[in-house]
Amino acid sequence: MNSAATATIPTATIPSVTTQGETSIGVEVIFQLLSQELQQSTKASAQNCQDVARRITSEVYRICSESKRIQASGAVENSAMTLAKHRLQQCLRYYQLGSNRGRVELHSTLSAIIYRYINPPQRQLSYQGRLTIIEDFLQGFYLEALNAFRRENQLGPTYRPQTLLELAEYMAFTERYGKRRIPLPGRQQQLIILRAQTFSQQQPPETNVDIEQAAEGSSNEADGSWEEPAVQQLRSAMATQAAPEPEEDTLRSVVVTELMDYLEQRQQSDCADYFSLRLQDLSTQEIEAVLGLTPRQRDYLQQRFKYHLIRFALLHRWELVHEWLEASLHTNLGLTPQQWQVYTAQLDEKQLALLELKQQGQPDDKIAKTLGMSTAQLQKRWFKILEQAWEIRNSLVSGSGASTHE
């Protein structure tokens, strides 16, 4: 047998766990299990595997010792073994992903959790702007997690992960650290959300800048406002004559931000998380892994998100969405002349009148009065009108139901 596999761990360095006079499962047993599994599943050195196994074992026994629930359960031994195996699988998962994919996975997981909580006061952020602030926040959070890792494992202040196994151990710890539940009055909240909220509130408000002064410089050399970082940044951008953001990208950012706000206002936080992961082009399997869902749960969430997406696109902010899709009323809802003819032939008399009044730019309250209906009835009819146009456009894109004139 490999001598490394039979190495012992100083049990004095790990708190003992007992309950009702029963001795917990031996520290040595869990340490040996972890050490052997790490050596079989990784290419790390025996010493590296033992160091990681020792830290995991120490954490497991500390948790079991401090947990009143585990102590009162009468099954401390089983809890310790279950927890140790769970910690091992988390570590091996990041190890198998590798350095680059592991970092991306961790970053995506934490970003999805905090996305809707990054909202600096008095600032209207685009989707890209919010991602930039998330990036800044997470860089500081990773350092905080490293310091917590050092402290909880009694490592020196200069310790840094050097091997892939140590990096995987640190990334698994960082994910758990961010998801820790912090007790608050009447509720619990994840630690990373509390940190994100504090970070967001500490962001400086937008600075009002005199555009002419920024472009041409201050006429008063003693004017200290010219040294403001925001002014310098704006002047630098203007001096380089950077190309403006394409209108399509700008509209997309607005649509994304407003859809996120729409979901948050309706307390659909899980739909917002799902949407943020979809924006990152993650696969179905990756989304299920990040959100901890079964395929059936993910499918249910996807259908619920689709419901809210359609409500947003055809009712709540239909003008914005259709402008982005280049399917506004001015362009006959994006339909070709032949499609428009077929489409209008499907509408009844009141729907045609409603469509005409909408094209004239009449406000909803006036349209409702003219047509003798309530605002709710008007919105229901308008939703149906847009839905029919949406179906015709989609049939053209998908190729189903193609026009006979093609």
Side-chain angles (χ1 to χ4, degrees), residues 189-251:
Q189 186 61 280
Q190 290 179 315
L191 183 145
I192 193 171
I193 291 178
L194 295 177
R195 295 288 192 269
Q197 289 174 326
T198 300
F199 180 86
S200 184
Q201 292 298 320
Q202 291 174 344
Q203 294 300 300
E206 290 181 323
T207 304
N208 293 325
V209 178
D210 187 322
I211 299 298
E212 292 184 2
Q213 181 188 39
E216 300 178 6
S218 173
S219 59
N220 183 0
E221 293 180 358
D223 187 355
S225 64
W226 183 248
E227 299 303 323
E228 289 286 340
V231 179
Q232 294 282 18
Q233 183 179 9
L234 178 57
R235 177 167 182 148
S236 174
M238 295 174 72
T240 56
Q241 298 181 348
E245 185 178 13
E247 182 180 359
E248 181 181 353
D249 292 344
T250 302
L251 283 173

Side-chain angles (χ1 to χ4, degrees), residues 253-299:
S253 297
V254 175
V255 170
V256 168
T257 301
E258 294 215 10
L259 177 54
M260 278 293 190
D261 292 340
Y262 174 85
L263 293 172
E264 291 167 13
Q265 291 168 7
R266 283 153 182 77
Q267 299 181 339
Q268 298 295 324
S269 58
D270 48 354
C271 287
D273 290 341
Y274 174 80
F275 181 45
S276 67
L277 295 176
R278 286 293 303 271
L279 289 172
Q280 299 174 48
D281 293 327
L282 297 185
S283 67
T284 299
Q285 291 76 14
E286 289 172 324
I287 291 176
E288 291 170 358
V290 171
L291 298 181
L293 301 176
T294 64
R296 184 174 182 178
Q297 290 171 327
R298 190 267 314 150
D299 182 65

